Amino acid sequence: MKSDIHPEYAPVVFHDLASGESFLTRSTVTSSKTVTWTDGNEYPVIDVEISNASHPFYTGKQRIMDSAGRVEKFNKRFAGFGQ
């Protein structure tokens, strides 16, 4: 492996702006903004718009599309097309 070409892989706190939750993980992203974590150490913080704490799929608030109604609407709209 070549030396000095890989980014630094360090602990980072990701803060979900939608839900307000934060989680500590490791990443190559950096930030000048920092936060003191529960362990007393200071880590860079990255603000994200959405994470598993606020995404509808993971929270169970996902809307299910009515595909049967859409198919019926399509068939009704194009019933006489091409005849």
Side-chain angles (χ1 to χ4, degrees):
M1 238 201 275
K2 292 183 180 179
S3 62
D4 299 329
I5 64 166
H6 301 287
E8 182 183 345
Y9 188 65
V12 176
V13 173
F14 284 93
H15 176 70
D16 186 351
L17 297 174
S19 69
E21 290 206 25
S22 298
F23 54 95
L24 179 66
T25 187
R26 296 179 58 90
S27 179
T28 58
V29 296
T30 58
S31 174
S32 59
K33 190 173 158 184
T34 60
V35 66
T36 303
W37 193 244
T38 56
D39 61 3
N41 293 328
E42 196 168 292
Y43 299 106
V45 63
I46 304 294
D47 293 329
V48 292
E49 298 282 329
I50 194 163
S51 71
N52 64 337
S54 62
H55 193 280
F57 179 79
Y58 295 107
T59 59
K61 297 178 182 172
Q62 181 178 6
R63 294 185 318 175
I64 301 196
M65 298 293 288
D66 179 22
S67 60
R70 290 175 45 189
V71 171
E72 291 169 3
K73 183 178 177 182
F74 177 84
N75 288 335
K76 180 180 168 187
R77 185 173 176 190
F78 294 102
F81 188 75
Q83 290 180 356

